[in-house]
Amino acid sequence: MIAVLAGGVGAAKFLRGLISVIDPSSITVIGNTADDEEFLGLHVSPDLDTVVYTLADAVDPEAGWGIANDTYTALEQAAQLGQETWFKLGDKDLATHLLRTKLLRSGNTLSQATQAVADAFGVTCRLLPMSDDRVRTIVTTDDGDISFQEYFVRRRQEDEVKALKFEGAEQAQPAPGVLDAIKRASGVIIAPSNPLVSIGPILAVPGIREALVDTDAKVAAVSPIIGGRALKGPAAGMLESLGHESSAAGVAKLYEDMLDVLVLDEEDRVLAPDVEALGITPIVTNTIMRDAARRRALAEATLESIS
Ligand code: FO1
């Protein structure tokens, strides 16, 4: 069994490559839920949904999140009724949040609701939220503390990030199966996701980081930073403003205590000695997942590095 720590769009693409190489039922995905937010009274889990929609081949290919060919009738009507609609929830996407919210309100855990959503979309990977407890990423900006989606979507990642907090993390417990998956895995992969706001919250849940340090399995990360920049999202600026190096070597340093292998892009070949100096094996390959063949090749190279 391979365990994968996952954020949203980058992780989902990587997983799509992985399921073309190994049996999906041999993969346990541990997903970030610190981006979760309540909109229109519904519990939205953007990163888990992005993984489900992508693996089910239902994702909007342009955005990388949401459902392909969705419509926005309900949201337009919500705006008419004076609701806040800056977070774009499509009509089909809303059905997922209705299902999740119904299950949560009737006493199910987030793990159970996640399983139900994955099953409904025919996703056969085991998909676990990092925790069934509420953990929220809070971004400190010049205007004060705001929620992650407020920073990411409403304010378009334009604020300088002064600090990050994962509210609730200290009291949270890993969801059932998370620690066991890391312990029993034949290999662990940290997907190419933002190390601070996608993987960071997962590692902040007590016990998960320790499990990654202690596991006998090899742990590989795929760098989401290529040539000092992120392909998507605010990772580069965030790394810099929080005093980290915005490079594949900077990513290696953030995971240094648990990492055996860092997969980095050909563009960053010159950084391989810096990664090696940290005691981490660098694997240099093409990490830009432009098409199915590239996604598959990246998954194969990553799997080989931990086998
Ligand atoms: N991202 C945006 O940039 N704008 C949106 O309006 C938006 C809506 C949205 C709805 C459902 C969903 O599952 C994801 C959505 N995302 C949107 C993406 C989401 O904010 C990010 O993928 C993550 O939270 C960061 O990993």
Side-chain angles (χ1 to χ4, degrees), residues 8-9 35 44-47 49-50 53 65-66 86-89 93 97 148-149 152-153 198:
V9 179
D35 296 4
V44 182
S45 295
D47 282 357
D49 289 345
T50 297
Y53 297 163
W65 49 265
W86 51 266
F87 198 73
K88 288 189 76 193
L89 295 169
D93 192 22
H97 316 312
F148 179 77
Q149 296 302 348
F152 193 86
V153 174
S198 297

mmCIF file with all atom_site columns, all heavy atoms in Angstrom, residues 8-9 35 44-47 49-50 53 65-66 86-89 93 97 148-149 152-153 198, ligand 1:
data_model
loop_
_atom_site.group_PDB
_atom_site.id
_atom_site.type_symbol
_atom_site.label_atom_id
_atom_site.label_alt_id
_atom_site.label_comp_id
_atom_site.label_asym_id
_atom_site.label_entity_id
_atom_site.label_seq_id
_atom_site.pdbx_PDB_ins_code
_atom_site.Cartn_x
_atom_site.Cartn_y
_atom_site.Cartn_z
_atom_site.occupancy
_atom_site.B_iso_or_equiv
_atom_site.pdbx_formal_charge
_atom_site.auth_seq_id
_atom_site.auth_comp_id
_atom_site.auth_asym_id
_atom_site.auth_atom_id
_atom_site.pdbx_PDB_model_num
ATOM   1   N N   . GLY A 1 8   ? -4.655  20.013 -2.977  1.00 0.00 ? 8   GLY A N   1
ATOM   2   C CA  . GLY A 1 8   ? -5.700  20.076 -3.990  1.00 0.00 ? 8   GLY A CA  1
ATOM   3   C C   . GLY A 1 8   ? -5.240  19.719 -5.398  1.00 0.00 ? 8   GLY A C   1
ATOM   4   O O   . GLY A 1 8   ? -4.918  18.559 -5.693  1.00 0.00 ? 8   GLY A O   1
ATOM   5   N N   . VAL A 1 9   ? -5.169  20.739 -6.251  1.00 0.00 ? 9   VAL A N   1
ATOM   6   C CA  . VAL A 1 9   ? -5.037  20.522 -7.693  1.00 0.00 ? 9   VAL A CA  1
ATOM   7   C C   . VAL A 1 9   ? -3.775  19.735 -8.095  1.00 0.00 ? 9   VAL A C   1
ATOM   8   O O   . VAL A 1 9   ? -3.863  18.760 -8.848  1.00 0.00 ? 9   VAL A O   1
ATOM   9   C CB  . VAL A 1 9   ? -5.102  21.888 -8.437  1.00 0.00 ? 9   VAL A CB  1
ATOM   10  C CG1 . VAL A 1 9   ? -4.952  21.697 -9.934  1.00 0.00 ? 9   VAL A CG1 1
ATOM   11  C CG2 . VAL A 1 9   ? -6.426  22.600 -8.125  1.00 0.00 ? 9   VAL A CG2 1
ATOM   12  N N   . ASP A 1 35  ? -8.575  23.727 4.638   1.00 0.00 ? 35  ASP A N   1
ATOM   13  C CA  . ASP A 1 35  ? -9.186  24.714 3.728   1.00 0.00 ? 35  ASP A CA  1
ATOM   14  C C   . ASP A 1 35  ? -10.708 24.617 3.775   1.00 0.00 ? 35  ASP A C   1
ATOM   15  O O   . ASP A 1 35  ? -11.396 25.361 3.071   1.00 0.00 ? 35  ASP A O   1
ATOM   16  C CB  . ASP A 1 35  ? -8.825  24.427 2.261   1.00 0.00 ? 35  ASP A CB  1
ATOM   17  C CG  . ASP A 1 35  ? -7.364  24.542 1.947   1.00 0.00 ? 35  ASP A CG  1
ATOM   18  O OD1 . ASP A 1 35  ? -6.589  24.776 2.874   1.00 0.00 ? 35  ASP A OD1 1
ATOM   19  O OD2 . ASP A 1 35  ? -7.010  24.377 0.766   1.00 0.00 ? 35  ASP A OD2 1
ATOM   20  N N   . VAL A 1 44  ? -18.026 22.561 2.843   1.00 0.00 ? 44  VAL A N   1
ATOM   21  C CA  . VAL A 1 44  ? -17.266 22.354 1.604   1.00 0.00 ? 44  VAL A CA  1
ATOM   22  C C   . VAL A 1 44  ? -15.856 21.890 1.979   1.00 0.00 ? 44  VAL A C   1
ATOM   23  O O   . VAL A 1 44  ? -15.212 22.485 2.839   1.00 0.00 ? 44  VAL A O   1
ATOM   24  C CB  . VAL A 1 44  ? -17.202 23.656 0.773   1.00 0.00 ? 44  VAL A CB  1
ATOM   25  C CG1 . VAL A 1 44  ? -16.463 23.436 -0.535  1.00 0.00 ? 44  VAL A CG1 1
ATOM   26  C CG2 . VAL A 1 44  ? -18.615 24.187 0.504   1.00 0.00 ? 44  VAL A CG2 1
ATOM   27  N N   . SER A 1 45  ? -15.410 20.822 1.341   1.00 0.00 ? 45  SER A N   1
ATOM   28  C CA  . SER A 1 45  ? -14.047 20.299 1.551   1.00 0.00 ? 45  SER A CA  1
ATOM   29  C C   . SER A 1 45  ? -13.313 20.374 0.214   1.00 0.00 ? 45  SER A C   1
ATOM   30  O O   . SER A 1 45  ? -13.219 19.378 -0.517  1.00 0.00 ? 45  SER A O   1
ATOM   31  C CB  . SER A 1 45  ? -14.089 18.834 2.020   1.00 0.00 ? 45  SER A CB  1
ATOM   32  O OG  . SER A 1 45  ? -14.694 18.703 3.276   1.00 0.00 ? 45  SER A OG  1
ATOM   33  N N   . PRO A 1 46  ? -12.768 21.545 -0.132  1.00 0.00 ? 46  PRO A N   1
ATOM   34  C CA  . PRO A 1 46  ? -12.242 21.740 -1.486  1.00 0.00 ? 46  PRO A CA  1
ATOM   35  C C   . PRO A 1 46  ? -11.155 20.738 -1.886  1.00 0.00 ? 46  PRO A C   1
ATOM   36  O O   . PRO A 1 46  ? -11.189 20.211 -3.004  1.00 0.00 ? 46  PRO A O   1
ATOM   37  C CB  . PRO A 1 46  ? -11.681 23.159 -1.454  1.00 0.00 ? 46  PRO A CB  1
ATOM   38  C CG  . PRO A 1 46  ? -12.409 23.833 -0.348  1.00 0.00 ? 46  PRO A CG  1
ATOM   39  C CD  . PRO A 1 46  ? -12.658 22.768 0.670   1.00 0.00 ? 46  PRO A CD  1
ATOM   40  N N   . ASP A 1 47  ? -10.211 20.469 -1.001  1.00 0.00 ? 47  ASP A N   1
ATOM   41  C CA  . ASP A 1 47  ? -9.109  19.593 -1.421  1.00 0.00 ? 47  ASP A CA  1
ATOM   42  C C   . ASP A 1 47  ? -9.568  18.145 -1.603  1.00 0.00 ? 47  ASP A C   1
ATOM   43  O O   . ASP A 1 47  ? -9.189  17.480 -2.569  1.00 0.00 ? 47  ASP A O   1
ATOM   44  C CB  . ASP A 1 47  ? -7.938  19.682 -0.433  1.00 0.00 ? 47  ASP A CB  1
ATOM   45  C CG  . ASP A 1 47  ? -7.110  20.957 -0.656  1.00 0.00 ? 47  ASP A CG  1
ATOM   46  O OD1 . ASP A 1 47  ? -7.416  21.708 -1.599  1.00 0.00 ? 47  ASP A OD1 1
ATOM   47  O OD2 . ASP A 1 47  ? -6.157  21.198 0.117   1.00 0.00 ? 47  ASP A OD2 1
ATOM   48  N N   . ASP A 1 49  ? -12.571 17.204 -2.405  1.00 0.00 ? 49  ASP A N   1
ATOM   49  C CA  . ASP A 1 49  ? -13.414 17.166 -3.605  1.00 0.00 ? 49  ASP A CA  1
ATOM   50  C C   . ASP A 1 49  ? -12.582 17.235 -4.878  1.00 0.00 ? 49  ASP A C   1
ATOM   51  O O   . ASP A 1 49  ? -12.886 16.563 -5.869  1.00 0.00 ? 49  ASP A O   1
ATOM   52  C CB  . ASP A 1 49  ? -14.431 18.314 -3.585  1.00 0.00 ? 49  ASP A CB  1
ATOM   53  C CG  . ASP A 1 49  ? -15.504 18.097 -2.527  1.00 0.00 ? 49  ASP A CG  1
ATOM   54  O OD1 . ASP A 1 49  ? -15.622 16.966 -2.025  1.00 0.00 ? 49  ASP A OD1 1
ATOM   55  O OD2 . ASP A 1 49  ? -16.216 19.062 -2.195  1.00 0.00 ? 49  ASP A OD2 1
ATOM   56  N N   . THR A 1 50  ? -11.529 18.041 -4.836  1.00 0.00 ? 50  THR A N   1
ATOM   57  C CA  . THR A 1 50  ? -10.661 18.139 -6.022  1.00 0.00 ? 50  THR A CA  1
ATOM   58  C C   . THR A 1 50  ? -10.049 16.777 -6.332  1.00 0.00 ? 50  THR A C   1
ATOM   59  O O   . THR A 1 50  ? -9.970  16.366 -7.497  1.00 0.00 ? 50  THR A O   1
ATOM   60  C CB  . THR A 1 50  ? -9.572  19.214 -5.780  1.00 0.00 ? 50  THR A CB  1
ATOM   61  O OG1 . THR A 1 50  ? -10.234 20.473 -5.623  1.00 0.00 ? 50  THR A OG1 1
ATOM   62  C CG2 . THR A 1 50  ? -8.599  19.301 -6.941  1.00 0.00 ? 50  THR A CG2 1
ATOM   63  N N   . TYR A 1 53  ? -13.068 14.521 -7.692  1.00 0.00 ? 53  TYR A N   1
ATOM   64  C CA  . TYR A 1 53  ? -13.504 14.898 -9.046  1.00 0.00 ? 53  TYR A CA  1
ATOM   65  C C   . TYR A 1 53  ? -12.431 14.548 -10.086 1.00 0.00 ? 53  TYR A C   1
ATOM   66  O O   . TYR A 1 53  ? -12.750 14.114 -11.190 1.00 0.00 ? 53  TYR A O   1
ATOM   67  C CB  . TYR A 1 53  ? -13.818 16.396 -9.127  1.00 0.00 ? 53  TYR A CB  1
ATOM   68  C CG  . TYR A 1 53  ? -14.965 16.885 -8.248  1.00 0.00 ? 53  TYR A CG  1
ATOM   69  C CD1 . TYR A 1 53  ? -15.109 18.241 -7.961  1.00 0.00 ? 53  TYR A CD1 1
ATOM   70  C CD2 . TYR A 1 53  ? -15.893 16.002 -7.721  1.00 0.00 ? 53  TYR A CD2 1
ATOM   71  C CE1 . TYR A 1 53  ? -16.154 18.711 -7.173  1.00 0.00 ? 53  TYR A CE1 1
ATOM   72  C CE2 . TYR A 1 53  ? -16.939 16.457 -6.919  1.00 0.00 ? 53  TYR A CE2 1
ATOM   73  C CZ  . TYR A 1 53  ? -17.061 17.810 -6.647  1.00 0.00 ? 53  TYR A CZ  1
ATOM   74  O OH  . TYR A 1 53  ? -18.096 18.262 -5.862  1.00 0.00 ? 53  TYR A OH  1
ATOM   75  N N   . TRP A 1 65  ? -10.411 22.494 -10.321 1.00 0.00 ? 65  TRP A N   1
ATOM   76  C CA  . TRP A 1 65  ? -11.321 22.215 -9.203  1.00 0.00 ? 65  TRP A CA  1
ATOM   77  C C   . TRP A 1 65  ? -12.752 22.363 -9.719  1.00 0.00 ? 65  TRP A C   1
ATOM   78  O O   . TRP A 1 65  ? -12.957 22.883 -10.820 1.00 0.00 ? 65  TRP A O   1
ATOM   79  C CB  . TRP A 1 65  ? -11.072 23.172 -8.019  1.00 0.00 ? 65  TRP A CB  1
ATOM   80  C CG  . TRP A 1 65  ? -10.995 24.630 -8.401  1.00 0.00 ? 65  TRP A CG  1
ATOM   81  C CD1 . TRP A 1 65  ? -9.852  25.336 -8.663  1.00 0.00 ? 65  TRP A CD1 1
ATOM   82  C CD2 . TRP A 1 65  ? -12.094 25.540 -8.599  1.00 0.00 ? 65  TRP A CD2 1
ATOM   83  N NE1 . TRP A 1 65  ? -10.163 26.630 -9.009  1.00 0.00 ? 65  TRP A NE1 1
ATOM   84  C CE2 . TRP A 1 65  ? -11.528 26.789 -8.971  1.00 0.00 ? 65  TRP A CE2 1
ATOM   85  C CE3 . TRP A 1 65  ? -13.473 25.440 -8.493  1.00 0.00 ? 65  TRP A CE3 1
ATOM   86  C CZ2 . TRP A 1 65  ? -12.306 27.923 -9.241  1.00 0.00 ? 65  TRP A CZ2 1
ATOM   87  C CZ3 . TRP A 1 65  ? -14.255 26.567 -8.768  1.00 0.00 ? 65  TRP A CZ3 1
ATOM   88  C CH2 . TRP A 1 65  ? -13.669 27.779 -9.126  1.00 0.00 ? 65  TRP A CH2 1
ATOM   89  N N   . GLY A 1 66  ? -13.704 21.914 -8.952  1.00 0.00 ? 66  GLY A N   1
ATOM   90  C CA  . GLY A 1 66  ? -15.099 21.987 -9.403  1.00 0.00 ? 66  GLY A CA  1
ATOM   91  C C   . GLY A 1 66  ? -15.386 20.933 -10.471 1.00 0.00 ? 66  GLY A C   1
ATOM   92  O O   . GLY A 1 66  ? -14.497 20.184 -10.888 1.00 0.00 ? 66  GLY A O   1
ATOM   93  N N   . TRP A 1 86  ? -19.039 34.940 -3.306  1.00 0.00 ? 86  TRP A N   1
ATOM   94  C CA  . TRP A 1 86  ? -17.688 35.067 -3.888  1.00 0.00 ? 86  TRP A CA  1
ATOM   95  C C   . TRP A 1 86  ? -17.002 33.715 -4.065  1.00 0.00 ? 86  TRP A C   1
ATOM   96  O O   . TRP A 1 86  ? -16.073 33.579 -4.850  1.00 0.00 ? 86  TRP A O   1
ATOM   97  C CB  . TRP A 1 86  ? -16.815 36.021 -3.073  1.00 0.00 ? 86  TRP A CB  1
ATOM   98  C CG  . TRP A 1 86  ? -16.764 35.755 -1.591  1.00 0.00 ? 86  TRP A CG  1
ATOM   99  C CD1 . TRP A 1 86  ? -17.557 36.328 -0.656  1.00 0.00 ? 86  TRP A CD1 1
ATOM   100 C CD2 . TRP A 1 86  ? -15.879 34.864 -0.897  1.00 0.00 ? 86  TRP A CD2 1
ATOM   101 N NE1 . TRP A 1 86  ? -17.226 35.845 0.598   1.00 0.00 ? 86  TRP A NE1 1
ATOM   102 C CE2 . TRP A 1 86  ? -16.199 34.946 0.477   1.00 0.00 ? 86  TRP A CE2 1
ATOM   103 C CE3 . TRP A 1 86  ? -14.848 34.013 -1.287  1.00 0.00 ? 86  TRP A CE3 1
ATOM   104 C CZ2 . TRP A 1 86  ? -15.525 34.215 1.455   1.00 0.00 ? 86  TRP A CZ2 1
ATOM   105 C CZ3 . TRP A 1 86  ? -14.181 33.282 -0.322  1.00 0.00 ? 86  TRP A CZ3 1
ATOM   106 C CH2 . TRP A 1 86  ? -14.520 33.390 1.032   1.00 0.00 ? 86  TRP A CH2 1
ATOM   107 N N   . PHE A 1 87  ? -17.446 32.703 -3.348  1.00 0.00 ? 87  PHE A N   1
ATOM   108 C CA  . PHE A 1 87  ? -16.892 31.358 -3.526  1.00 0.00 ? 87  PHE A CA  1
ATOM   109 C C   . PHE A 1 87  ? -17.794 30.632 -4.513  1.00 0.00 ? 87  PHE A C   1
ATOM   110 O O   . PHE A 1 87  ? -18.969 30.390 -4.242  1.00 0.00 ? 87  PHE A O   1
ATOM   111 C CB  . PHE A 1 87  ? -16.847 30.634 -2.176  1.00 0.00 ? 87  PHE A CB  1
ATOM   112 C CG  . PHE A 1 87  ? -15.931 29.443 -2.164  1.00 0.00 ? 87  PHE A CG  1
ATOM   113 C CD1 . PHE A 1 87  ? -14.545 29.605 -2.156  1.00 0.00 ? 87  PHE A CD1 1
ATOM   114 C CD2 . PHE A 1 87  ? -16.434 28.149 -2.156  1.00 0.00 ? 87  PHE A CD2 1
ATOM   115 C CE1 . PHE A 1 87  ? -13.684 28.510 -2.140  1.00 0.00 ? 87  PHE A CE1 1
ATOM   116 C CE2 . PHE A 1 87  ? -15.578 27.047 -2.144  1.00 0.00 ? 87  PHE A CE2 1
ATOM   117 C CZ  . PHE A 1 87  ? -14.208 27.240 -2.130  1.00 0.00 ? 87  PHE A CZ  1
ATOM   118 N N   . LYS A 1 88  ? -17.247 30.330 -5.681  1.00 0.00 ? 88  LYS A N   1
ATOM   119 C CA  . LYS A 1 88  ? -18.084 29.839 -6.781  1.00 0.00 ? 88  LYS A CA  1
ATOM   120 C C   . LYS A 1 88  ? -18.436 28.369 -6.619  1.00 0.00 ? 88  LYS A C   1
ATOM   121 O O   . LYS A 1 88  ? -17.600 27.491 -6.831  1.00 0.00 ? 88  LYS A O   1
ATOM   122 C CB  . LYS A 1 88  ? -17.369 30.062 -8.118  1.00 0.00 ? 88  LYS A CB  1
ATOM   123 C CG  . LYS A 1 88  ? -17.327 31.536 -8.525  1.00 0.00 ? 88  LYS A CG  1
ATOM   124 C CD  . LYS A 1 88  ? -16.817 31.700 -9.931  1.00 0.00 ? 88  LYS A CD  1
ATOM   125 C CE  . LYS A 1 88  ? -17.890 31.311 -10.932 1.00 0.00 ? 88  LYS A CE  1
ATOM   126 N NZ  . LYS A 1 88  ? -17.341 31.166 -12.294 1.00 0.00 ? 88  LYS A NZ  1
ATOM   127 N N   . LEU A 1 89  ? -19.679 28.140 -6.238  1.00 0.00 ? 89  LEU A N   1
ATOM   128 C CA  . LEU A 1 89  ? -20.162 26.767 -6.092  1.00 0.00 ? 89  LEU A CA  1
ATOM   129 C C   . LEU A 1 89  ? -21.141 26.481 -7.219  1.00 0.00 ? 89  LEU A C   1
ATOM   130 O O   . LEU A 1 89  ? -22.210 27.095 -7.303  1.00 0.00 ? 89  LEU A O   1
ATOM   131 C CB  . LEU A 1 89  ? -20.845 26.593 -4.730  1.00 0.00 ? 89  LEU A CB  1
ATOM   132 C CG  . LEU A 1 89  ? -19.920 26.752 -3.505  1.00 0.00 ? 89  LEU A CG  1
ATOM   133 C CD1 . LEU A 1 89  ? -20.729 26.826 -2.230  1.00 0.00 ? 89  LEU A CD1 1
ATOM   134 C CD2 . LEU A 1 89  ? -18.904 25.623 -3.433  1.00 0.00 ? 89  LEU A CD2 1
ATOM   135 N N   . ASP A 1 93  ? -21.661 20.754 -8.191  1.00 0.00 ? 93  ASP A N   1
ATOM   136 C CA  . ASP A 1 93  ? -20.777 20.743 -7.028  1.00 0.00 ? 93  ASP A CA  1
ATOM   137 C C   . ASP A 1 93  ? -21.609 20.845 -5.740  1.00 0.00 ? 93  ASP A C   1
ATOM   138 O O   . ASP A 1 93  ? -21.334 20.158 -4.746  1.00 0.00 ? 93  ASP A O   1
ATOM   139 C CB  . ASP A 1 93  ? -19.800 21.927 -7.161  1.00 0.00 ? 93  ASP A CB  1
ATOM   140 C CG  . ASP A 1 93  ? -18.648 21.874 -6.169  1.00 0.00 ? 93  ASP A CG  1
ATOM   141 O OD1 . ASP A 1 93  ? -18.328 20.780 -5.665  1.00 0.00 ? 93  ASP A OD1 1
ATOM   142 O OD2 . ASP A 1 93  ? -18.060 22.939 -5.894  1.00 0.00 ? 93  ASP A OD2 1
ATOM   143 N N   . HIS A 1 97  ? -21.838 18.954 -1.700  1.00 0.00 ? 97  HIS A N   1
ATOM   144 C CA  . HIS A 1 97  ? -21.839 19.590 -0.375  1.00 0.00 ? 97  HIS A CA  1
ATOM   145 C C   . HIS A 1 97  ? -23.138 19.322 0.377   1.00 0.00 ? 97  HIS A C   1
ATOM   146 O O   . HIS A 1 97  ? -23.135 19.235 1.598   1.00 0.00 ? 97  HIS A O   1
ATOM   147 C CB  . HIS A 1 97  ? -21.570 21.096 -0.501  1.00 0.00 ? 97  HIS A CB  1
ATOM   148 C CG  . HIS A 1 97  ? -20.458 21.389 -1.452  1.00 0.00 ? 97  HIS A CG  1
ATOM   149 N ND1 . HIS A 1 97  ? -19.256 20.715 -1.407  1.00 0.00 ? 97  HIS A ND1 1
ATOM   150 C CD2 . HIS A 1 97  ? -20.369 22.241 -2.504  1.00 0.00 ? 97  HIS A CD2 1
ATOM   151 C CE1 . HIS A 1 97  ? -18.486 21.136 -2.383  1.00 0.00 ? 97  HIS A CE1 1
ATOM   152 N NE2 . HIS A 1 97  ? -19.137 22.052 -3.069  1.00 0.00 ? 97  HIS A NE2 1
ATOM   153 N N   . PHE A 1 148 ? -8.581  30.905 5.292   1.00 0.00 ? 148 PHE A N   1
ATOM   154 C CA  . PHE A 1 148 ? -7.804  30.570 4.096   1.00 0.00 ? 148 PHE A CA  1
ATOM   155 C C   . PHE A 1 148 ? -8.551  30.930 2.808   1.00 0.00 ? 148 PHE A C   1
ATOM   156 O O   . PHE A 1 148 ? -7.981  31.525 1.889   1.00 0.00 ? 148 PHE A O   1
ATOM   157 C CB  . PHE A 1 148 ? -7.437  29.075 4.082   1.00 0.00 ? 148 PHE A CB  1
ATOM   158 C CG  . PHE A 1 148 ? -6.652  28.720 2.852   1.00 0.00 ? 148 PHE A CG  1
ATOM   159 C CD1 . PHE A 1 148 ? -5.310  29.036 2.746   1.00 0.00 ? 148 PHE A CD1 1
ATOM   160 C CD2 . PHE A 1 148 ? -7.278  28.127 1.763   1.00 0.00 ? 148 PHE A CD2 1
ATOM   161 C CE1 . PHE A 1 148 ? -4.593  28.762 1.589   1.00 0.00 ? 148 PHE A CE1 1
ATOM   162 C CE2 . PHE A 1 148 ? -6.567  27.846 0.600   1.00 0.00 ? 148 PHE A CE2 1
ATOM   163 C CZ  . PHE A 1 148 ? -5.218  28.154 0.513   1.00 0.00 ? 148 PHE A CZ  1
ATOM   164 N N   . GLN A 1 149 ? -9.822  30.567 2.717   1.00 0.00 ? 149 GLN A N   1
ATOM   165 C CA  . GLN A 1 149 ? -10.556 30.847 1.465   1.00 0.00 ? 149 GLN A CA  1
ATOM   166 C C   . GLN A 1 149 ? -10.756 32.345 1.257   1.00 0.00 ? 149 GLN A C   1
ATOM   167 O O   . GLN A 1 149 ? -10.794 32.812 0.119   1.00 0.00 ? 149 GLN A O   1
ATOM   168 C CB  . GLN A 1 149 ? -11.897 30.100 1.434   1.00 0.00 ? 149 GLN A CB  1
ATOM   169 C CG  . GLN A 1 149 ? -11.780 28.574 1.434   1.00 0.00 ? 149 GLN A CG  1
ATOM   170 C CD  . GLN A 1 149 ? -10.978 27.989 0.260   1.00 0.00 ? 149 GLN A CD  1
ATOM   171 O OE1 . GLN A 1 149 ? -10.665 28.677 -0.715  1.00 0.00 ? 149 GLN A OE1 1
ATOM   172 N NE2 . GLN A 1 149 ? -10.624 26.726 0.374   1.00 0.00 ? 149 GLN A NE2 1
ATOM   173 N N   . PHE A 1 152 ? -7.455  33.214 -0.162  1.00 0.00 ? 152 PHE A N   1
ATOM   174 C CA  . PHE A 1 152 ? -7.152  32.571 -1.434  1.00 0.00 ? 152 PHE A CA  1
ATOM   175 C C   . PHE A 1 152 ? -8.095  32.997 -2.551  1.00 0.00 ? 152 PHE A C   1
ATOM   176 O O   . PHE A 1 152 ? -7.667  33.330 -3.648  1.00 0.00 ? 152 PHE A O   1
ATOM   177 C CB  . PHE A 1 152 ? -7.230  31.048 -1.237  1.00 0.00 ? 152 PHE A CB  1
ATOM   178 C CG  . PHE A 1 152 ? -6.649  30.242 -2.350  1.00 0.00 ? 152 PHE A CG  1
ATOM   179 C CD1 . PHE A 1 152 ? -5.297  29.950 -2.373  1.00 0.00 ? 152 PHE A CD1 1
ATOM   180 C CD2 . PHE A 1 152 ? -7.451  29.743 -3.367  1.00 0.00 ? 152 PHE A CD2 1
ATOM   181 C CE1 . PHE A 1 152 ? -4.749  29.193 -3.403  1.00 0.00 ? 152 PHE A CE1 1
ATOM   182 C CE2 . PHE A 1 152 ? -6.910  28.982 -4.403  1.00 0.00 ? 152 PHE A CE2 1
ATOM   183 C CZ  . PHE A 1 152 ? -5.552  28.703 -4.407  1.00 0.00 ? 152 PHE A CZ  1
ATOM   184 N N   . VAL A 1 153 ? -9.380  33.000 -2.245  1.00 0.00 ? 153 VAL A N   1
ATOM   185 C CA  . VAL A 1 153 ? -10.376 33.263 -3.291  1.00 0.00 ? 153 VAL A CA  1
ATOM   186 C C   . VAL A 1 153 ? -10.851 34.721 -3.245  1.00 0.00 ? 153 VAL A C   1
ATOM   187 O O   . VAL A 1 153 ? -10.731 35.453 -4.225  1.00 0.00 ? 153 VAL A O   1
ATOM   188 C CB  . VAL A 1 153 ? -11.573 32.288 -3.158  1.00 0.00 ? 153 VAL A CB  1
ATOM   189 C CG1 . VAL A 1 153 ? -12.672 32.654 -4.149  1.00 0.00 ? 153 VAL A CG1 1
ATOM   190 C CG2 . VAL A 1 153 ? -11.114 30.855 -3.392  1.00 0.00 ? 153 VAL A CG2 1
ATOM   191 N N   . SER A 1 198 ? -0.956  23.343 2.355   1.00 0.00 ? 198 SER A N   1
ATOM   192 C CA  . SER A 1 198 ? -1.651  22.102 1.992   1.00 0.00 ? 198 SER A CA  1
ATOM   193 C C   . SER A 1 198 ? -1.106  20.927 2.794   1.00 0.00 ? 198 SER A C   1
ATOM   194 O O   . SER A 1 198 ? -1.866  20.154 3.375   1.00 0.00 ? 198 SER A O   1
ATOM   195 C CB  . SER A 1 198 ? -1.501  21.827 0.491   1.00 0.00 ? 198 SER A CB  1
ATOM   196 O OG  . SER A 1 198 ? -2.119  22.851 -0.251  1.00 0.00 ? 198 SER A OG  1
HETATM 197 N N1  . FO1 B 2 .   ? -10.944 28.588 -6.181  1.00 0.00 ? 1   FO1 B N1  1
HETATM 198 C C1  . FO1 B 2 .   ? -11.033 29.850 -6.656  1.00 0.00 ? 1   FO1 B C1  1
HETATM 199 O O1  . FO1 B 2 .   ? -10.005 30.431 -6.997  1.00 0.00 ? 1   FO1 B O1  1
HETATM 200 N N2  . FO1 B 2 .   ? -12.253 30.495 -6.735  1.00 0.00 ? 1   FO1 B N2  1
HETATM 201 C C2  . FO1 B 2 .   ? -13.410 29.886 -6.379  1.00 0.00 ? 1   FO1 B C2  1
HETATM 202 O O2  . FO1 B 2 .   ? -14.466 30.502 -6.445  1.00 0.00 ? 1   FO1 B O2  1
HETATM 203 C C3  . FO1 B 2 .   ? -13.330 28.519 -5.915  1.00 0.00 ? 1   FO1 B C3  1
HETATM 204 C C4  . FO1 B 2 .   ? -14.473 27.796 -5.598  1.00 0.00 ? 1   FO1 B C4  1
HETATM 205 C C5  . FO1 B 2 .   ? -14.350 26.442 -5.250  1.00 0.00 ? 1   FO1 B C5  1
HETATM 206 C C6  . FO1 B 2 .   ? -15.492 25.673 -5.011  1.00 0.00 ? 1   FO1 B C6  1
HETATM 207 C C7  . FO1 B 2 .   ? -15.382 24.336 -4.664  1.00 0.00 ? 1   FO1 B C7  1
HETATM 208 C C8  . FO1 B 2 .   ? -14.115 23.743 -4.553  1.00 0.00 ? 1   FO1 B C8  1
HETATM 209 O O3  . FO1 B 2 .   ? -14.011 22.459 -4.225  1.00 0.00 ? 1   FO1 B O3  1
HETATM 210 C C9  . FO1 B 2 .   ? -12.989 24.497 -4.791  1.00 0.00 ? 1   FO1 B C9  1
HETATM 211 C C10 . FO1 B 2 .   ? -13.082 25.851 -5.134  1.00 0.00 ? 1   FO1 B C10 1
HETATM 212 N N3  . FO1 B 2 .   ? -11.950 26.620 -5.393  1.00 0.00 ? 1   FO1 B N3  1
HETATM 213 C C11 . FO1 B 2 .   ? -12.060 27.913 -5.828  1.00 0.00 ? 1   FO1 B C11 1
HETATM 214 C C12 . FO1 B 2 .   ? -10.624 26.052 -5.203  1.00 0.00 ? 1   FO1 B C12 1
HETATM 215 C C13 . FO1 B 2 .   ? -10.140 26.119 -3.753  1.00 0.00 ? 1   FO1 B C13 1
HETATM 216 O O4  . FO1 B 2 .   ? -10.268 27.387 -3.202  1.00 0.00 ? 1   FO1 B O4  1
HETATM 217 C C14 . FO1 B 2 .   ? -8.683  25.703 -3.721  1.00 0.00 ? 1   FO1 B C14 1
HETATM 218 O O5  . FO1 B 2 .   ? -8.501  24.579 -4.535  1.00 0.00 ? 1   FO1 B O5  1
HETATM 219 C C15 . FO1 B 2 .   ? -8.144  25.183 -2.441  1.00 0.00 ? 1   FO1 B C15 1
HETATM 220 O O6  . FO1 B 2 .   ? -8.823  25.406 -1.296  1.00 0.00 ? 1   FO1 B O6  1
HETATM 221 C C16 . FO1 B 2 .   ? -6.630  25.373 -2.344  1.00 0.00 ? 1   FO1 B C16 1
HETATM 222 O O7  . FO1 B 2 .   ? -6.075  24.102 -2.347  1.00 0.00 ? 1   FO1 B O7  1
#
